[in-house]
Amino acid sequence: MIKTILDIGFLIAAISFINGLRRLSTPATARKGNLIAGAGMILAIIIAIIYPLGDEGSGNYPWIIGGIAIGSLIGWVAAKKVQMTAMPQLVSIFNGLGGACAVLLAVLEMLKSSADNKIGIAISVFTLLVGAISFTGSILAYLKLDGKVKDKHVILPGHTYVNIAFLIASIVIAVLYVLNPSSTMLIVLIVISLVYGFSFVAPIGGADMPVVISLLNSLTGISAATAGFIYNNQIMIIGGILVGASGTILTVLMCNAMNRSLLNVIIGGFGSSGG
Amino acid sequence: MEQITQFVAANLIYIYLIAFTVLLGFEVISKVPTVLHTPLMSGANAISGVVIIGAIILIRSSESDDYVSLIFGTLGIVLAMINVVGGFAVTDRMLEMFKKKKKAQS
């Protein structure tokens, strides 16, 4: 009975996300849309806290409440204090933190799951890879937008090839880990996906930064969705995929608005040469 | 291979859900005007903080002496909650600014 009511609550939260996003894309209703999506998130979090999980997990609430309180405080203060001009880099940092959370969840799950559960491990590995790229990529995007890192300091000669090599290497290691999990491979996988995130954003220049933040945002959404598979949770899957899909389209729209192709942006170089 | 078919069979309803949500995600924002690109990105970013649900479930289903899960799970909650609260708050500020600008122009 209570479970069904709470499941309907999750459904309402999912509808709020969709409705909020739709309103966010029209100027007259944008602010209300943001509030609706935020209300949906609060509802989802409350339900996640009270949802019955069976016999286990009665306690541990101080950890949850403490974490929520600290996170809310930091997020609220950061959002209120930031200069208007520094908002894009703040969004980038926030996005990176979401990715970092997905990484933590994936790693904790990988430490727990048995080596036979190949699908489960593959899902965690995917979550880890995508979340890690989004995490370090967003941090570098923040540093670049904030002027703390100059483009010329982080671009290697032939950077496109470096990135392709990283991509292939991380896929190979991911597959090896799924076939034969070990803690050494896990560390290698974590390190290479974090480094790849940096390397992925490194060649992308200043003017293209909003596009890449939007792209990283959709990656965070995708890793949130695959993390939803780990916990068998619909709202994570819907919310994550929704952000993943709309983030991808938004990325393409942003490219179109600048008369650039997404491939051009990712290969990079152009945006920075002008300035 | 067998594991994959089993997984697909067990999660078919989720796979339907993903397919429809992808189409919905495309459709819902396809007509966004250029001025709203950044606020929309920021709002969507706040929604991706939904990953916090996973961290909450993780902590709730952990033993109360499993400190690795508790500490890293709490860290996950803190990080995702910054994303959620900060994301929605900063989007609201952007849109507020947008409104003022519009008023000043007219």
Side-chain angles (χ1 to χ4, degrees), chain A residues 18 25 31 34 48-49 51 57 60 63 79-80 82 84 94-95 98 101 116 118-119 217 232 243 246 249, chain B residues 3 7 14 24 26 29 33 36 41 44-45 47 54 58-60 62 74 76 81 83 86 88 92-94 97:
Chain A
I18 297 166
S25 57
R31 213 170 163 196
N34 185 49
I49 292 175
Y51 199 89
N60 300 338
W63 296 88
K80 288 293 160 189
V82 66
M84 296 290 181
F94 288 156
N95 181 50
C101 179
D116 299 330
K118 297 290 179 217
I119 300 269
N217 175 33
N232 221 346
V243 174
S246 60
I249 288 297
Chain B
Q3 278 201 16
F7 178 80
Y14 284 143
L24 193 62
F26 286 172
I29 64 145
L36 280 179
M41 175 179 84
N45 168 49
I47 294 177
L58 171 87
I59 292 191
R60 286 192 57 200
S62 297
T74 305
M81 201 64 199
N83 186 358
F88 284 119
D92 193 59
R93 270 190 71 191
M94 279 179 197
M97 183 167 73

Side-chain angles (χ1 to χ4, degrees), chain A residues 48 64 96-113 120-132 135 177 186 190 220-233 236-237, chain B residues 48-62 66 68-81 83:
Chain A
I64 298 175
L97 297 181
C101 179
V103 170
L104 285 173
L105 295 182
V107 172
L108 287 172
E109 185 61 25
M110 285 152 89
L111 293 175
K112 277 184 192 167
S113 57
I121 294 177
I123 290 174
S124 303
V125 166
F126 183 84
T127 307
L128 167 65
L129 262 179
V130 177
F135 173 39
Y177 181 87
L186 176 58
I190 294 173
T220 311
I222 292 167
S223 70
T226 51
F229 266 107
I230 298 177
Y231 298 101
N232 221 346
N233 182 281
M236 288 173 79
I237 298 178
Chain B
S48 70
V50 76
V51 70
I52 191 175
I53 306 291
I56 292 173
I57 297 174
L58 171 87
I59 292 191
R60 286 192 57 200
S61 52
S62 297
D66 179 4
V68 175
S69 294
L70 288 177
I71 291 172
F72 285 101
T74 305
L75 182 61
I77 289 188
V78 172
L79 297 178
M81 201 64 199
N83 186 358

Side-chain angles (χ1 to χ4, degrees), chain B residues 17-58:
Chain B
L17 189 64
I18 288 176
F20 290 133
T21 312
V22 167
L23 293 176
L24 193 62
F26 286 172
E27 211 49 49
V28 133
I29 64 145
S30 57
K31 291 192 178 68
V32 60
T34 316
V35 279
L36 280 179
H37 280 177
T38 311
L40 183 62
M41 175 179 84
S42 179
N45 168 49
I47 294 177
S48 70
V50 76
V51 70
I52 191 175
I53 306 291
I56 292 173
I57 297 174
L58 171 87

